[in-house]
């Protein structure tokens, strides 16, 4: 097999580490560049092991420390620093695949750079798509960049579609009647909402089925993760919000489903292990070994499905509402959510304040229908400023 060069943006995170674990099993894939914000100890170990051509550290202080470490090490890896360098390694001519695994809006520019350069984009950084929606999909159409969703639900849907190309062609649009996004329900599925005030960050980060970074873990606990995924599904597959249903499936074995016009429903099943969607993206259109254990349905015993409780988890409704509004609404939702989650993790606001804060920010910013990238960036900053003002004045514990 010919060697394929990969840039992993966010290689020290949960998705980044799982990506490297899949690479370990597939020697024809090699690392071109790695990146992290601050965790240079792990990043340095990754550099020694994978010998990338470039390593990017975005935090200036951490970059200085990394430079000292690399100077004494037996490696030719070149250090680049700052956020712009992420775009450089995402669009370099020598790269074929870019794994976008930075968390939050911080991944937007590099994700866009990879798409504009026509790279195969393995999209884990859902926030980038939620923020820029049609603009990102349009950029992919123009450059021919295939977008392979790594979010397990969207990856499942992608696998169930006949041609498995991101964005449906007209014939597929006609035959798909509905997508069903499954949700584990998160750690508080069975906790009484009257007790939500007492929820600690540690409890919110303890997901029953998936081991993930802290931000997405809190999103899963509030069900905002499913709200963001609802928006993500509309843009990725070019469908209307009415065609998407969310179903709570606590076993997390069925990762999502596609309904077709003849009554057929296709689902993708597997253990809840991100190495499966990651290996699918890396190998596409072939399949590669992922290292995930095989699914044993006898051991799973039963698969349950219940409707989500949006009164208990209002973040899901907020996400669906933003999907209906489109335009700048998803970017406002995302910015407010990122600030709310950070404030919750810092102990500044309680768990029930997360949806209240997001709703308050959304109510203050009117939705613009066809935003440019510049407008989205402005509105992101504006929404964060309003969120932080509200955190200080009204929502602080
Ligand atoms: P994580 O917190 O474990 O890792 C985040 C990575 O991004 C780290 O490498 C970190 O150094 C880097 N990073 C953080 N802030 C940065 C900044 N300001 N500038 C540059 N780099 C920065 O997160 P994760 O769980 O791996 O999630 C990554 C993305 O994948 C998120 O968008 C998440 O929603 C999505 N995702 C994750 C999972 C999962 O199982 N972890 C599943 C589906 C989707
Ligand atoms: Mg998901």
């Amino acid at each position: 097999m010919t060697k394929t060069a990969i840039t992993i943006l966010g290689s020290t995170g949960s998705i980044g580490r799982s990506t490297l674990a899949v690479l370990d099993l597939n020697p024809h894939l090699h690392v071109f560049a790695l990146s992290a914000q601050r965790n240079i100890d792990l990043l340095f170990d990754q550099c020694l092991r994978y010998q990338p051509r470039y390593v990017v550290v975005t935090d200036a202080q951490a970059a200085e420390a990394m430079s000292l470490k690399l100077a004494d090490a037996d490696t030719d890896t070149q250090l680049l620093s700052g956020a712009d360098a992420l775009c450089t390694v995402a669009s370099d001519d020598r790269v074929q695949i870019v794994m976008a695994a930075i968390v939050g809006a911080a991944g937007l520019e590099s994700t866009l750079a990879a798409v504009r350069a026509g790279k195969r984009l393995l999209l884990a950084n859902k926030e980038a798509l939620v923020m820029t929606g049609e603009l990102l999909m349009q950029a992919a159409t123009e450059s021919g960049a295939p977008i392979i969703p790594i979010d397990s639900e969207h990856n499942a849907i992608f696998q169930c579609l006949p041609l498995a190309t991101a964005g449906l062609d007209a014939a597929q649009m006609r035959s798909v009647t509905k997508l069903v996004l499954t949700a584990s329900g998160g750690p508080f599925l069975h906790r009484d909402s009257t007790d939500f005030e007492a929820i600690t960050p540690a409890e919110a980060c303890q997901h029953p089925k998936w081991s993930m970074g802290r931000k997405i873990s809190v999103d899963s606990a509030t069900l905002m993760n499913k709200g963001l995924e609802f928006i993500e599904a509309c843009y990725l597959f070019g469908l209307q919000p009415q065609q998407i249903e969310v179903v709570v499936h606590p076993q997390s074995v069925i990762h999502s489903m596609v309904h077709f016009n003849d009554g057929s429903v296709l689902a993708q099943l597997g253990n809840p292990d991100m190495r499966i969607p990651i290996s699918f993206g890396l190998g596409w259109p072939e399949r590669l070994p992922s290292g995930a254990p095989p699914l044993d349905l006898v051991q799973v015993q039963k698969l349950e499905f219940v409707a989500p409780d949006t009164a208990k988890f209002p973040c899901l409704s907020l996400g669906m509402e933003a999907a209906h509004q489109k335009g700048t609404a998803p970017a406002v939702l995302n910015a407010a959510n990122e600030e709310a989650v950070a404030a919750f993790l810092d102990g500044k606001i309680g768990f029930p304040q997360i949806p209240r804060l997001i709703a308050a920010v959304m109510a203050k910013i009117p939705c613009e229908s066809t935003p440019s990238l510049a407008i989205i960036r402005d509105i992101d900053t504006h929404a964060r400023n309003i969120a932080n003002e509200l955190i200080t004045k009204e929502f602080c514990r």
Side-chain angles (χ1 to χ4, degrees), residues 4-27 29-34 46 49-50 97-102 122-125 150-151 273-283 288-291:
T4 304
I6 301 165
T7 282
I8 305 177
L9 303 170
S11 64
T12 56
S14 165
I15 293 287
R17 284 178 276 126
S18 295
T19 305
L20 289 169
V22 175
L23 259 54
D24 288 341
L25 301 175
N26 296 283
L29 304 172
H30 79 96
V31 178
F32 177 79
L34 297 172
Q46 291 178 344
R49 177 150 177 199
Y50 296 97
I97 301 178
V98 174
M99 165 57 85
I102 290 174
L122 274 46
L123 181 69
N125 179 211
I150 296 303
D151 223 342
D273 187 323
M274 289 307 291
R275 289 174 298 177
I276 298 174
I278 290 168
S279 66
F280 181 87
L282 289 169
L288 301 175
S290 70

Side-chain angles (χ1 to χ4, degrees), residues 10-17 35-38 58 86 101-104 106 124-127 150-152 210-214 216 225 274:
S11 64
T12 56
S14 165
I15 293 287
R17 284 178 276 126
S35 92
Q37 184 184 26
R38 289 200 189 94
T58 53
L86 295 172
I102 290 174
V103 60
N125 179 211
K126 66 188 87 184
E127 296 90 349
I150 296 303
D151 223 342
S152 56
W210 301 92
S211 158
M212 310 179 284
R214 281 162 71 77
I216 183 175
N225 186 47
M274 289 307 291

Side-chain angles (χ1 to χ4, degrees), residues 108 112 126-139 147 231-232 234-236 327 330-331 376:
L108 174 59
L112 260 174
K126 66 188 87 184
E127 296 90 349
L129 178 62
V130 165
M131 290 174 73
T132 56
E134 282 149 12
L135 288 174
L136 188 79
M137 297 311 292
Q138 183 60 33
I147 298 182
I231 300 167
E232 189 184 2
C234 291
Y235 288 135
L236 269 176
I376 289 168

Side-chain angles (χ1 to χ4, degrees), residues 191-365:
R191 184 144 162 179
D192 200 296
S193 58
T194 55
D195 191 32
F196 273 13
E197 191 65 49
I199 289 171
T200 64
E203 287 175 307
C205 289
Q206 204 63 50
H207 196 275
K209 290 289 171 193
W210 301 92
S211 158
M212 310 179 284
R214 281 162 71 77
K215 191 262 176 183
I216 183 175
S217 294
V218 176
D219 285 347
S220 299
T222 60
L223 257 61
M224 178 54 90
N225 186 47
K226 215 47 59 181
L228 296 174
E229 290 181 358
F230 190 93
I231 300 167
E232 189 184 2
C234 291
Y235 288 135
L236 269 176
F237 303 112
L239 294 177
Q240 297 302 315
Q242 301 83 313
Q243 293 173 283
I244 301 171
E245 183 187 358
V246 173
V247 171
V248 174
H249 165 48
Q251 290 77 20
S252 298
V253 164
I254 294 185
H255 297 300
S256 277
M257 300 177 244
V258 181
H259 285 241
F260 293 89
N261 57 359
D262 60 358
S264 295
V265 182
L266 296 190
Q268 185 258 352
L269 285 71
N271 280 312
D273 187 323
M274 289 307 291
R275 289 174 298 177
I276 298 174
I278 290 168
S279 66
F280 181 87
L282 289 169
W284 178 82
E286 314 279 325
R287 285 186 189 263
L288 301 175
S290 70
L295 177 63
D296 181 347
L297 280 175
V298 173
Q299 208 186 354
V300 175
Q301 288 189 345
K302 58 178 181 180
L303 299 179
E304 295 165 301
F305 306 94
V306 287
D309 183 346
T310 49
K312 187 170 164 183
F313 297 104
C315 281
L316 175 57
S317 300
L318 291 170
M320 290 171 155
E321 169 67 30
H324 278 94
Q325 287 185 33
K326 291 195 202 151
T328 49
V332 172
L333 173 95
N334 179 68
N337 181 56
E338 285 192 30
E339 297 304 316
V341 171
F344 168 70
L345 286 171
D346 277 354
K348 289 184 191 156
I349 66 170
F351 188 81
Q353 272 74 55
I354 297 174
R356 288 177 206 152
L357 175 63
I358 298 165
V361 175
M362 290 189 78
K364 281 181 188 288
I365 304 180

